PDB file of all heavy atoms in Angstrom:
ATOM      1  N   TRP A  26      -9.400  35.015   6.028  1.00 98.00           N
ATOM      2  CA  TRP A  26     -10.523  34.135   6.497  1.00 98.00           C
ATOM      3  C   TRP A  26     -11.413  33.909   5.298  1.00 98.00           C
ATOM      4  O   TRP A  26     -11.686  34.749   4.465  1.00 98.00           O
ATOM      5  CB  TRP A  26     -11.242  34.898   7.622  1.00 98.00           C
ATOM      6  CG  TRP A  26     -10.583  34.705   8.909  1.00 98.00           C
ATOM      7  CD1 TRP A  26      -9.237  34.623   9.045  1.00 98.00           C
ATOM      8  CD2 TRP A  26     -11.101  34.728  10.240  1.00 98.00           C
ATOM      9  NE1 TRP A  26      -8.945  34.466  10.450  1.00 98.00           N
ATOM     10  CE2 TRP A  26      -9.976  34.429  11.218  1.00 98.00           C
ATOM     11  CE3 TRP A  26     -12.467  34.813  10.727  1.00 98.00           C
ATOM     12  CZ2 TRP A  26     -10.297  34.487  12.529  1.00 98.00           C
ATOM     13  CZ3 TRP A  26     -12.655  34.763  12.153  1.00 98.00           C
ATOM     14  CH2 TRP A  26     -11.614  34.615  13.044  1.00 98.00           C
ATOM     15  N   MET A  28     -15.130  32.847   4.191  1.00 96.00           N
ATOM     16  CA  MET A  28     -16.446  32.896   4.766  1.00 96.00           C
ATOM     17  C   MET A  28     -17.567  32.499   3.630  1.00 96.00           C
ATOM     18  O   MET A  28     -18.631  32.586   3.901  1.00 96.00           O
ATOM     19  CB  MET A  28     -16.681  34.226   5.379  1.00 96.00           C
ATOM     20  CG  MET A  28     -15.605  34.597   6.402  1.00 96.00           C
ATOM     21  SD  MET A  28     -15.837  36.129   7.172  1.00 96.00           S
ATOM     22  CE  MET A  28     -17.007  35.612   8.398  1.00 96.00           C
ATOM     23  N   ASP A  49     -14.207  29.325   7.952  1.00 98.00           N
ATOM     24  CA  ASP A  49     -15.036  29.784   9.094  1.00 98.00           C
ATOM     25  C   ASP A  49     -16.395  29.090   9.193  1.00 98.00           C
ATOM     26  O   ASP A  49     -17.232  29.313   8.327  1.00 98.00           O
ATOM     27  CB  ASP A  49     -15.187  31.272   8.982  1.00 98.00           C
ATOM     28  CG  ASP A  49     -15.979  31.886  10.284  1.00 98.00           C
ATOM     29  OD1 ASP A  49     -16.034  31.143  11.230  1.00 98.00           O
ATOM     30  OD2 ASP A  49     -16.498  32.997  10.148  1.00 98.00           O
ATOM     31  N   GLU A  51     -18.195  29.368  11.950  1.00 97.00           N
ATOM     32  CA  GLU A  51     -19.191  30.107  12.847  1.00 97.00           C
ATOM     33  C   GLU A  51     -20.067  31.056  12.151  1.00 97.00           C
ATOM     34  O   GLU A  51     -21.215  31.092  12.498  1.00 97.00           O
ATOM     35  CB  GLU A  51     -18.350  30.827  13.941  1.00 97.00           C
ATOM     36  CG  GLU A  51     -19.321  31.387  15.031  1.00 97.00           C
ATOM     37  CD  GLU A  51     -18.622  32.239  16.080  1.00 97.00           C
ATOM     38  OE1 GLU A  51     -17.467  32.704  15.874  1.00 97.00           O
ATOM     39  OE2 GLU A  51     -19.296  32.646  17.054  1.00 97.00           O
ATOM     40  N   HIS A  52     -19.579  31.731  11.121  1.00 97.00           N
ATOM     41  CA  HIS A  52     -20.369  32.654  10.470  1.00 97.00           C
ATOM     42  C   HIS A  52     -20.593  32.435   9.086  1.00 97.00           C
ATOM     43  O   HIS A  52     -20.756  33.381   8.226  1.00 97.00           O
ATOM     44  CB  HIS A  52     -19.714  34.134  10.689  1.00 97.00           C
ATOM     45  CG  HIS A  52     -19.950  34.677  12.094  1.00 97.00           C
ATOM     46  ND1 HIS A  52     -21.108  34.680  12.843  1.00 97.00           N
ATOM     47  CD2 HIS A  52     -18.978  34.949  13.013  1.00 97.00           C
ATOM     48  CE1 HIS A  52     -20.879  35.041  14.085  1.00 97.00           C
ATOM     49  NE2 HIS A  52     -19.566  35.153  14.263  1.00 97.00           N
ATOM     50  N   ARG A  77     -12.479  27.080  12.031  1.00 98.00           N
ATOM     51  CA  ARG A  77     -13.270  27.528  13.145  1.00 98.00           C
ATOM     52  C   ARG A  77     -14.616  26.806  13.086  1.00 98.00           C
ATOM     53  O   ARG A  77     -15.430  27.138  12.266  1.00 98.00           O
ATOM     54  CB  ARG A  77     -13.372  29.090  13.276  1.00 98.00           C
ATOM     55  CG  ARG A  77     -14.245  29.648  14.378  1.00 98.00           C
ATOM     56  CD  ARG A  77     -14.199  31.053  14.668  1.00 98.00           C
ATOM     57  NE  ARG A  77     -14.786  31.777  13.692  1.00 98.00           N
ATOM     58  CZ  ARG A  77     -15.205  33.160  13.920  1.00 98.00           C
ATOM     59  NH1 ARG A  77     -14.854  33.776  14.958  1.00 98.00           N
ATOM     60  NH2 ARG A  77     -15.848  33.761  12.975  1.00 98.00           N
ATOM     61  N   PRO A 100     -14.525  29.205  18.979  1.00 98.00           N
ATOM     62  CA  PRO A 100     -15.314  30.459  19.430  1.00 98.00           C
ATOM     63  C   PRO A 100     -15.764  30.397  20.862  1.00 98.00           C
ATOM     64  O   PRO A 100     -16.003  29.281  21.305  1.00 98.00           O
ATOM     65  CB  PRO A 100     -16.505  30.468  18.466  1.00 98.00           C
ATOM     66  CG  PRO A 100     -16.603  29.115  17.940  1.00 98.00           C
ATOM     67  CD  PRO A 100     -15.297  28.401  18.068  1.00 98.00           C
ATOM     68  N   MET A 101     -15.925  31.508  21.510  1.00 98.00           N
ATOM     69  CA  MET A 101     -16.559  31.705  22.714  1.00 98.00           C
ATOM     70  C   MET A 101     -16.130  30.756  23.858  1.00 98.00           C
ATOM     71  O   MET A 101     -16.886  29.957  24.481  1.00 98.00           O
ATOM     72  CB  MET A 101     -18.108  31.464  22.570  1.00 98.00           C
ATOM     73  CG  MET A 101     -18.768  32.454  21.670  1.00 98.00           C
ATOM     74  SD  MET A 101     -18.877  34.041  22.504  1.00 98.00           S
ATOM     75  CE  MET A 101     -19.523  35.052  21.222  1.00 98.00           C
ATOM     76  N   GLN A 153     -10.850  31.268  21.589  1.00 98.00           N
ATOM     77  CA  GLN A 153     -11.109  32.630  21.316  1.00 98.00           C
ATOM     78  C   GLN A 153     -11.671  33.281  22.689  1.00 98.00           C
ATOM     79  O   GLN A 153     -12.676  32.793  23.151  1.00 98.00           O
ATOM     80  CB  GLN A 153     -12.252  32.800  20.287  1.00 98.00           C
ATOM     81  CG  GLN A 153     -11.687  33.126  18.850  1.00 98.00           C
ATOM     82  CD  GLN A 153     -12.791  33.445  17.888  1.00 98.00           C
ATOM     83  OE1 GLN A 153     -13.317  32.594  17.341  1.00 98.00           O
ATOM     84  NE2 GLN A 153     -12.946  34.795  17.774  1.00 98.00           N
ATOM     85  N   GLU A 155     -13.534  36.280  23.994  1.00 98.00           N
ATOM     86  CA  GLU A 155     -14.311  37.367  23.363  1.00 98.00           C
ATOM     87  C   GLU A 155     -15.472  37.793  24.162  1.00 98.00           C
ATOM     88  O   GLU A 155     -16.383  38.341  23.622  1.00 98.00           O
ATOM     89  CB  GLU A 155     -14.783  36.932  21.924  1.00 98.00           C
ATOM     90  CG  GLU A 155     -15.255  35.544  21.831  1.00 98.00           C
ATOM     91  CD  GLU A 155     -15.531  35.058  20.288  1.00 98.00           C
ATOM     92  OE1 GLU A 155     -15.401  35.899  19.471  1.00 98.00           O
ATOM     93  OE2 GLU A 155     -15.702  33.912  20.157  1.00 98.00           O
ATOM     94  N   PHE A 176      -6.855  33.681  20.996  1.00 98.00           N
ATOM     95  CA  PHE A 176      -7.273  34.585  19.856  1.00 98.00           C
ATOM     96  C   PHE A 176      -8.331  35.605  20.464  1.00 98.00           C
ATOM     97  O   PHE A 176      -9.367  35.126  21.121  1.00 98.00           O
ATOM     98  CB  PHE A 176      -7.897  33.843  18.781  1.00 98.00           C
ATOM     99  CG  PHE A 176      -8.409  34.634  17.681  1.00 98.00           C
ATOM    100  CD1 PHE A 176      -7.582  34.572  16.403  1.00 98.00           C
ATOM    101  CD2 PHE A 176      -9.524  35.536  17.605  1.00 98.00           C
ATOM    102  CE1 PHE A 176      -7.964  35.275  15.285  1.00 98.00           C
ATOM    103  CE2 PHE A 176      -9.837  36.221  16.452  1.00 98.00           C
ATOM    104  CZ  PHE A 176      -9.111  36.140  15.264  1.00 98.00           C
ATOM    105  N   ILE A 177      -8.070  36.871  20.435  1.00 98.00           N
ATOM    106  CA  ILE A 177      -9.025  37.838  20.935  1.00 98.00           C
ATOM    107  C   ILE A 177      -9.991  38.257  19.842  1.00 98.00           C
ATOM    108  O   ILE A 177      -9.543  38.669  18.756  1.00 98.00           O
ATOM    109  CB  ILE A 177      -8.331  39.111  21.578  1.00 98.00           C
ATOM    110  CG1 ILE A 177      -7.238  38.702  22.551  1.00 98.00           C
ATOM    111  CG2 ILE A 177      -9.310  40.119  22.023  1.00 98.00           C
ATOM    112  CD1 ILE A 177      -6.268  39.810  22.871  1.00 98.00           C
ATOM    113  N   GLY A 178     -11.304  38.146  20.127  1.00 98.00           N
ATOM    114  CA  GLY A 178     -12.234  38.495  19.060  1.00 98.00           C
ATOM    115  C   GLY A 178     -12.875  39.917  19.372  1.00 98.00           C
ATOM    116  O   GLY A 178     -13.592  40.105  20.181  1.00 98.00           O
ATOM    117  N   PRO A 179     -12.337  40.910  18.597  1.00 98.00           N
ATOM    118  CA  PRO A 179     -12.677  42.251  18.943  1.00 98.00           C
ATOM    119  C   PRO A 179     -14.200  42.607  18.711  1.00 98.00           C
ATOM    120  O   PRO A 179     -14.750  43.377  19.571  1.00 98.00           O
ATOM    121  CB  PRO A 179     -11.970  43.170  17.923  1.00 98.00           C
ATOM    122  CG  PRO A 179     -10.844  42.236  17.412  1.00 98.00           C
ATOM    123  CD  PRO A 179     -11.353  40.814  17.547  1.00 98.00           C
ATOM    124  N   SER A 180     -14.807  41.927  17.881  1.00 98.00           N
ATOM    125  CA  SER A 180     -16.222  42.245  17.624  1.00 98.00           C
ATOM    126  C   SER A 180     -17.098  41.807  18.745  1.00 98.00           C
ATOM    127  O   SER A 180     -17.826  42.573  19.323  1.00 98.00           O
ATOM    128  CB  SER A 180     -16.714  41.535  16.229  1.00 98.00           C
ATOM    129  OG  SER A 180     -17.895  41.922  15.916  1.00 98.00           O
ATOM    130  N   ASP A 181     -16.953  40.459  19.153  1.00 98.00           N
ATOM    131  CA  ASP A 181     -17.798  40.011  20.241  1.00 98.00           C
ATOM    132  C   ASP A 181     -17.333  40.567  21.535  1.00 98.00           C
ATOM    133  O   ASP A 181     -18.214  40.805  22.474  1.00 98.00           O
ATOM    134  CB  ASP A 181     -17.658  38.422  20.250  1.00 98.00           C
ATOM    135  CG  ASP A 181     -18.478  37.860  19.141  1.00 98.00           C
ATOM    136  OD1 ASP A 181     -19.725  38.036  19.165  1.00 98.00           O
ATOM    137  OD2 ASP A 181     -17.939  37.007  18.395  1.00 98.00           O
ATOM    138  N   LEU A 182     -16.100  40.836  21.717  1.00 98.00           N
ATOM    139  CA  LEU A 182     -15.570  41.464  22.959  1.00 98.00           C
ATOM    140  C   LEU A 182     -16.217  42.842  23.107  1.00 98.00           C
ATOM    141  O   LEU A 182     -16.731  43.198  24.238  1.00 98.00           O
ATOM    142  CB  LEU A 182     -14.054  41.537  23.005  1.00 98.00           C
ATOM    143  CG  LEU A 182     -13.496  42.226  24.246  1.00 98.00           C
ATOM    144  CD1 LEU A 182     -13.899  41.546  25.485  1.00 98.00           C
ATOM    145  CD2 LEU A 182     -11.924  42.268  24.117  1.00 98.00           C
ATOM    146  N   PRO A 192     -15.847  47.794  17.680  1.00 98.00           N
ATOM    147  CA  PRO A 192     -14.721  47.049  18.130  1.00 98.00           C
ATOM    148  C   PRO A 192     -13.430  48.052  18.254  1.00 98.00           C
ATOM    149  O   PRO A 192     -12.533  47.643  18.932  1.00 98.00           O
ATOM    150  CB  PRO A 192     -14.494  46.075  17.043  1.00 98.00           C
ATOM    151  CG  PRO A 192     -15.113  46.469  15.842  1.00 98.00           C
ATOM    152  CD  PRO A 192     -16.346  47.349  16.302  1.00 98.00           C
ATOM    153  N   THR A 217      -5.437  37.907  16.840  1.00 98.00           N
ATOM    154  CA  THR A 217      -6.629  38.726  16.624  1.00 98.00           C
ATOM    155  C   THR A 217      -6.945  38.919  15.166  1.00 98.00           C
ATOM    156  O   THR A 217      -6.272  38.389  14.247  1.00 98.00           O
ATOM    157  CB  THR A 217      -6.616  40.063  17.421  1.00 98.00           C
ATOM    158  OG1 THR A 217      -7.951  40.590  17.434  1.00 98.00           O
ATOM    159  CG2 THR A 217      -5.698  41.077  16.943  1.00 98.00           C
ATOM    160  N   LEU A 218      -7.902  39.819  14.808  1.00 98.00           N
ATOM    161  CA  LEU A 218      -8.138  40.085  13.411  1.00 98.00           C
ATOM    162  C   LEU A 218      -8.625  41.557  13.231  1.00 98.00           C
ATOM    163  O   LEU A 218      -9.076  42.268  14.197  1.00 98.00           O
ATOM    164  CB  LEU A 218      -9.233  39.126  12.851  1.00 98.00           C
ATOM    165  CG  LEU A 218     -10.730  39.516  12.787  1.00 98.00           C
ATOM    166  CD1 LEU A 218     -11.477  38.486  12.090  1.00 98.00           C
ATOM    167  CD2 LEU A 218     -11.351  39.755  14.129  1.00 98.00           C
ATOM    168  N   PHE A 220      -9.905  43.839   9.775  1.00 94.00           N
ATOM    169  CA  PHE A 220     -10.133  43.744   8.293  1.00 94.00           C
ATOM    170  C   PHE A 220      -9.908  44.960   7.595  1.00 94.00           C
ATOM    171  O   PHE A 220     -10.320  45.202   6.463  1.00 94.00           O
ATOM    172  CB  PHE A 220     -11.497  43.076   8.054  1.00 94.00           C
ATOM    173  CG  PHE A 220     -11.677  41.613   8.359  1.00 94.00           C
ATOM    174  CD1 PHE A 220     -12.883  41.018   8.199  1.00 94.00           C
ATOM    175  CD2 PHE A 220     -10.495  40.896   8.614  1.00 94.00           C
ATOM    176  CE1 PHE A 220     -12.972  39.658   8.411  1.00 94.00           C
ATOM    177  CE2 PHE A 220     -10.632  39.528   8.863  1.00 94.00           C
ATOM    178  CZ  PHE A 220     -11.822  38.918   8.860  1.00 94.00           C
ATOM    179  N   SER A 240     -10.736  38.904   4.532  1.00 98.00           N
ATOM    180  CA  SER A 240     -11.521  37.723   4.228  1.00 98.00           C
ATOM    181  C   SER A 240     -11.859  37.750   2.739  1.00 98.00           C
ATOM    182  O   SER A 240     -11.714  38.674   2.070  1.00 98.00           O
ATOM    183  CB  SER A 240     -12.733  37.696   5.016  1.00 98.00           C
ATOM    184  OG  SER A 240     -13.676  38.665   4.616  1.00 98.00           O
TER     185      SER A 240
HETATM  186  O1  LIG B   1     -15.369  38.664  17.775  1.00 58.41           O
HETATM  187  C1  LIG B   1     -14.742  38.761  16.720  1.00 58.41           C
HETATM  188  O2  LIG B   1     -14.159  39.732  16.351  1.00 58.41           O
HETATM  189  C2  LIG B   1     -14.687  37.493  15.965  1.00 58.41           C
HETATM  190  O3  LIG B   1     -14.917  36.399  16.420  1.00 58.41           O
HETATM  191  C3  LIG B   1     -14.484  37.611  14.503  1.00 58.41           C
HETATM  192  C4  LIG B   1     -15.810  37.694  13.862  1.00 58.41           C
HETATM  193  O4  LIG B   1     -16.292  36.403  13.784  1.00 58.41           O
HETATM  194  C5  LIG B   1     -15.848  38.486  12.607  1.00 58.41           C
HETATM  195  O5  LIG B   1     -15.250  39.695  12.705  1.00 58.41           O
HETATM  196  C6  LIG B   1     -15.399  37.742  11.455  1.00 58.41           C
HETATM  197  O6  LIG B   1     -15.769  38.353  10.277  1.00 58.41           O
END
Side-chain angles (χ1 to χ4, degrees):
W26 284 27
M28 309 182 75
D49 186 17
E51 188 186 11
H52 291 302
R77 178 165 74 163
M101 295 289 174
Q153 264 191 273
E155 45 190 349
F176 188 105
I177 301 165
S180 185
D181 284 303
L182 178 59
T217 189
L218 95 176
F220 285 174
S240 71

